[in-house]
Amino acid sequence: MTCITLFRFMIKNKIIGSQFLGVENVLSQFKSICGEDRVSVGQAVREQHGRDESMHRCCAPDAVVFPHCVEEVSALAKLCHLYNVPMIPFGTGTGLEGGVGALEGGVCFSLRNMDKILDLHMEDFDVTVEPGVTRKTLNTYLRDTGLWFPVDPGADASLCGMAATSASGTNAVRYGTMRENVLNLEVVLADGTIIHTAGKGRRPRKTAAGYNLTNLFVGSEGTLGIITKTTLRLYGIPEAMVSAVCTFPSVQTAVDSTVQILQAGVPIARIEFLDEVMMDACNRYSSLSYPVNPTLFLEFHGSEGSLEEQVKTTEAITQSNDGSNFQWAQDAETRNRLWAARHNAWYAAQALRPGCKAYSTDVCVPLSQLPQIIVETKEDLIKNNLTGPIAGHVGDGNFHCLMVVDPNDKDELHRLHAFTDRLARRALALDGTCTGEHGVGLGKRSLLQEELGCHTIHLMQSLKYTLDPKNLMNPGKVLLPFSRESRQG
């Protein structure tokens, strides 16, 4: 059945003829590059690689290949380019915006076998990794070096996949997002060309040389090329950590505290917000007894002496904003207990409606606009009878509604989709963005046009066409689809 699908794809794209050697021959060429056991057309394997953690339906590729090295990726890409076969990169499948679906069929490049940690330079605070290396794997490897990689999106995602989606997470307020922590990328382009965005082997802490191609590919979601190596900035493991929790009478007072903490120059490592609905869910799920109020979860990194001053300053600021129940801890066991609610928020939200599916929204606004958008969003949830406790990286103005819906209830799904569109447009109206860290994928392509405007989108389309004139790299993602035939014409 897969061969027939691929055959029909080739007919549709007018590549039957002198270039066409037969479907079995094309698959045979894949196998000659990767090996017999690293090319799969089995339904279960294809479906596994046609979905991520989002609400988007599975779009299985026609075949899945498992390359071992960049040379194999390049050879496979050249073959796909010759026969106009779409290519979809796949890391760990933890994305949240449908970025791995094979909308037009084609070949999925599963990169899990490329799992080497390369070129660790401890004295320079950098390391190069292949796409099969995950965040937790790297930090385990680094444990005895005194270094760590702090960008933490929650899931144990592929580091190259995190670069492809410009991921961030709870530590971004102190350490930045993937954009600030990628020094260089090795990328295979649509025609199989291998490039290094900052020059082969180069890893300076800063550069003013030429166009910033590294950040062009960070966040490109596989639509411009396949990332096969990333060189990352590392940090020293903090001498000590302190965690704290504080409750507030309103969203406004919690956000006011956040702004004042940042204005005071406190180098806060994490500052997370949970609304009262989420706190109630966490109390039930984790058998906790926190007040059911808007709550901040904080973490401080530094020396023993500096932490005392950070905590003292932060406590004074929270008290001046009517904060209460300020608790802090330094030993790991107590810190983990204090943060249990935030760590388990996703599962606590799901537990509100057993058997239902969870979906996370993702908008980001300037800090001063955060109280308004959260209050309006909570009113919208209540009005439309939707379950969506709120958690957010409040230090960045980024928050998520953890929507819990019945996937079999068409009316509820319709209300969910309408709500997420309103939420994104509410963020845009407040000078924010439709996605802070999850990416555009499938669901936010129209919103991206509204956010950036037609001239900027046209420039993006021109860049895409320059790098991928046949529209083979993860087609249909980020930018609204354009006709392959019209582009070739």
Side-chain angles (χ1 to χ4, degrees):
M1 192 68 181
T2 299
C3 292
I4 293 173
T5 304
L6 192 54
F7 180 74
R8 287 173 177 166
F9 175 84
M10 289 179 164
I11 293 175
K12 175 185 174 184
N13 287 280
K14 301 176 182 177
I15 59 174
I16 301 296
S18 60
Q19 290 182 319
F20 180 59
L21 304 177
V23 174
E24 290 296 340
N25 202 348
V26 173
L27 293 175
S28 175
Q29 290 186 66
F30 288 158
K31 292 173 184 177
S32 71
I33 294 169
C34 289
E36 187 81 23
D37 60 339
R38 290 190 281 122
V39 178
S40 176
V41 293
Q43 182 176 345
V45 174
R46 293 188 299 110
E47 289 183 352
Q48 176 191 348
H49 289 82
R51 65 165 68 91
D52 56 14
E53 298 294 330
S54 70
M55 293 285 287
H56 296 284
R57 65 181 179 85
C58 175
C59 290
D62 295 306
V64 182
V65 293
F66 299 88
H68 266 167
C69 61
V70 64
E71 290 77 15
E72 290 184 359
V73 174
S74 174
L76 290 163
K78 288 176 180 177
L79 190 60
C80 289
H81 189 263
L82 176 63
Y83 293 111
N84 287 14
V85 178
M87 296 169 268
I88 305 96
F90 188 96
T92 55
T94 54
L96 294 167
E97 295 295 342
V100 299
L103 304 184
E104 300 184 18
V107 177
C108 173
F109 284 60
S110 182
L111 304 169
R112 68 187 188 194
N113 292 332
M114 297 174 62
D115 58 358
K116 295 184 180 65
I117 297 173
L118 309 163
D119 301 327
L120 170 62
H121 300 96
M122 291 185 289
E123 66 280 9
D124 296 326
F125 295 84
D126 65 63
V127 67
T128 300
V129 300
E130 292 185 330
V133 179
T134 66
R135 173 181 63 87
K136 289 182 180 178
T137 299
L138 176 61
N139 281 327
T140 299
Y141 179 87
L142 295 172
R143 186 176 294 159
D144 297 329
T145 69
L147 302 174
W148 73 314
F149 184 69
V151 180
D152 176 8
D156 188 24
S158 156
L159 289 160
C160 287
M162 288 167 58
T165 57
S166 190
S168 56
T170 58
N171 281 317
V173 66
R174 171 76 175 268
Y175 299 101
T177 71
M178 288 300 287
R179 284 199 188 279
E180 292 77 46
N181 287 287
V182 174
L183 301 175
N184 200 350
L185 294 170
E186 178 184 82
V187 181
V188 176
L189 301 181
D191 63 359
T193 301
I194 302 170
I195 68 163
H196 299 84
T197 56
K200 188 172 183 178
R202 305 199 182 279
R203 47 191 179 84
R205 302 291 282 185
K206 64 179 183 179
T207 177
Y211 300 131
N212 190 342
L213 295 182
T214 300
N215 270 348
L216 174 64
F217 285 91
V218 172
S220 61
E221 302 184 37
T223 62
L224 302 180
I226 300 173
I227 298 174
T228 51
K229 288 189 185 73
T230 178
T231 301
L232 301 169
R233 186 188 301 264
L234 300 177
Y235 297 81
I237 295 175
E239 176 186 329
M241 298 183 185
V242 167
S243 295
V245 178
C246 187
T247 60
F248 294 86
S250 67
V251 175
Q252 183 71 59
T253 53
V255 175
D256 286 346
S257 293
T258 300
V259 172
Q260 291 167 26
I261 290 167
L262 296 174
Q263 288 175 334
V266 177
I268 195 87
R270 306 182 202 237
I271 184 162
E272 297 288 292
F273 170 83
L274 271 63
D275 75 347
E276 69 278 8
V277 179
M278 181 62 83
M279 290 304 301
D280 185 43
C282 290
N283 281 343
R284 297 183 193 182
Y285 180 79
S286 300
S287 300
L288 302 171
S289 56
Y290 283 116
V292 181
N293 291 102
T295 302
L296 289 182
F297 292 78
L298 310 101
E299 188 169 280
F300 309 87
H301 296 172
S303 64
E304 296 281 356
S306 68
L307 288 181
E308 183 178 349
E309 182 64 27
Q310 290 180 42
V311 172
K312 183 179 178 181
T313 301
T314 299
E315 184 172 12
I317 290 171
T318 59
Q319 288 178 348
S320 71
N321 287 289
D322 298 322
S324 58
N325 300 296
F326 188 91
Q327 305 173 57
W328 65 276
Q330 187 165 351
D331 66 282
E333 183 179 349
T334 310
R335 283 194 292 110
N336 289 337
R337 191 163 60 246
L338 280 180
W339 268 74
R342 180 63 186 96
H343 288 320
N344 295 325
W346 178 261
Y347 306 105
Q350 283 186 308
L352 290 172
R353 297 180 65 188
C356 290
K357 176 82 172 175
Y359 166 76
S360 177
T361 67
D362 173 46
V363 297
C364 187
V365 296
L367 276 178
S368 61
Q369 307 292 350
L370 201 56
Q372 177 181 339
I373 192 171
I374 289 179
V375 168
E376 291 177 358
T377 298
K378 290 169 71 66
E379 291 173 350
D380 197 347
L381 288 166
I382 293 170
K383 180 180 178 181
N384 288 279
N385 193 29
L386 290 167
T387 303
I390 293 174
H393 317 308
V394 67
D396 305 318
N398 181 201
F399 75 95
H400 312 292
C401 297
L402 305 187
M403 310 300 298
V404 189
V405 297
D406 181 353
N408 299 313
D409 186 333
K410 291 183 179 180
D411 177 66
E412 186 176 15
L413 289 175
H414 175 75
R415 284 184 281 121
L416 168 66
H417 293 147
F419 166 79
T420 56
D421 279 350
R422 286 194 300 274
L423 173 58
R425 290 189 171 93
R426 198 174 292 130
L428 296 181
L430 295 173
D431 301 325
T433 176
C434 65
T435 175
E437 58 187 9
H438 294 171
V440 175
L442 282 176
K444 295 178 178 175
R445 294 172 297 175
S446 295
L447 291 164
L448 183 68
Q449 290 194 316
E450 294 180 33
E451 180 171 331
L452 301 182
C454 61
H455 295 301
T456 304
I457 289 293
H458 179 69
L459 177 58
M460 286 187 171
Q461 289 171 332
S462 298
L463 287 168
K464 164 74 169 170
Y465 181 60
T466 299
L467 292 169
D468 180 21
K470 294 185 176 183
N471 192 25
L472 299 178
M473 300 304 307
N474 208 8
K477 315 298 168 44
V478 182
L479 300 173
L480 288 169
F482 56 79
S483 165
R484 183 173 293 114
E485 287 79 5
S486 67
R487 281 298 192 188
Q488 289 175 321

